[in-house]
Structure formats: structure tokens, C-alpha cells
Amino acid sequence: MMTDNEKKTKPAKKRFYRKRVRIFNLIDKIKLWPSRTGQLHGIRSITTMGDTARLTTHCNKEFIISNSLNSRAGRWLRNKWFVKVCPKCGVPDWKLEKYSSTLFKRHQGSMLIKDHKDHSS
């Protein structure tokens, strides 16, 4: 019979996303934002305004971002570069574990494309 100390914890499930996805879709999915100072913030809301968006973090900071494939923030998210987690945002450990197990591949994974009607015609 196994005791509580002997139970094995399952490793975090790996998630695959494409490398070159729009930053809005990626942020809307993982709800994390790396600021220029290297802090990882938790995202409370994202408001899209055409090709820009306003991010509101849990520490009430606001960022205006552009929808780009290869922005600084996109690279930092894909490469998991950050100095520290924002103490005011309080990003939970389970979210950091989930983020650390996420893999970004060029030819495999979700494209993070939402089902919506195209109004460009």
C-alpha cells in the first residue's frame, strides 16, 4: 500500500504551439507577458484594437502591443526568457510549470487560430 509520500507526481503534460503565431493569439492563450525589464506578468485582460492591443496585468500595469510574429516579447515567450516573476501579479506555480512544459515547434502544434468570420472582403 502506498503512502502519500510514495505517490508519484505525473510530469507536466507537454503542449505544442507553432513558433510563428500571432502574438495576440499566443498571449490570449497563455496569459503571460514578459516586460522589457524581464519581469513575467500575469495578464488580466487583453483588448484588441485592430493591429494593436491593450494588455492589463494583475498588477494594474497596461501595455500597448503590436500584433507581430517576431517581436521581442514573442521571442522571449518562445524561448522562455525572463529574469523574475512579478511579485504583484502573483503568477501561480502551476501556471509556471505549465508554461515551462510548453514547446514551440515550427512544423508541429496548434496554430492558435480562432474560428471567426473574415471581414477583409
Side-chain angles (χ1 to χ4, degrees):
M1 186 172 216
M2 295 179 83
T3 62
D4 290 335
N5 295 338
E6 294 175 354
K7 287 184 181 177
K8 295 181 181 179
T9 59
K10 291 199 293 188
K13 179 182 171 187
K14 292 184 179 179
R15 286 157 186 78
F16 291 91
Y17 300 120
R18 294 285 177 112
K19 264 188 177 182
R20 303 205 23 104
V21 295
R22 294 280 176 193
I23 192 77
F24 292 174
N25 299 347
L26 183 61
I27 291 170
D28 196 31
K29 183 69 176 176
I30 64 175
K31 300 289 189 191
L32 294 172
W33 174 257
S35 67
R36 289 183 180 156
T37 60
Q39 283 190 343
L40 195 64
H41 293 276
I43 299 298
R44 178 183 298 157
S45 66
I46 179 170
T47 308
T48 306
M49 304 168 287
D51 211 27
T52 60
R54 179 185 306 267
L55 299 179
T56 306
T57 65
H58 289 288
C59 61
N60 294 323
K61 290 187 180 177
E62 290 190 351
F63 299 97
I64 303 292
I65 63 168
S66 298
N67 203 3
S68 174
L69 294 172
N70 55 354
S71 64
R72 175 207 53 88
R75 288 192 314 270
W76 283 36
L77 285 172
R78 286 191 303 268
N79 296 326
K80 299 179 185 73
W81 293 340
F82 62 94
V83 177
K84 62 181 180 175
V85 177
C86 176
K88 293 179 185 174
C89 285
V91 178
D93 290 336
W94 64 265
K95 186 173 270 194
L96 292 174
E97 286 179 27
K98 188 175 178 179
Y99 175 56
S100 67
S101 68
T102 302
L103 299 173
F104 295 91
K105 301 244 178 188
R106 187 170 180 187
H107 299 292
Q108 177 184 3
S110 172
M111 294 287 287
L112 297 175
I113 297 174
K114 294 184 179 182
D115 295 329
H116 65 281
K117 295 179 182 176
D118 187 15
H119 298 295
S120 61
S121 53

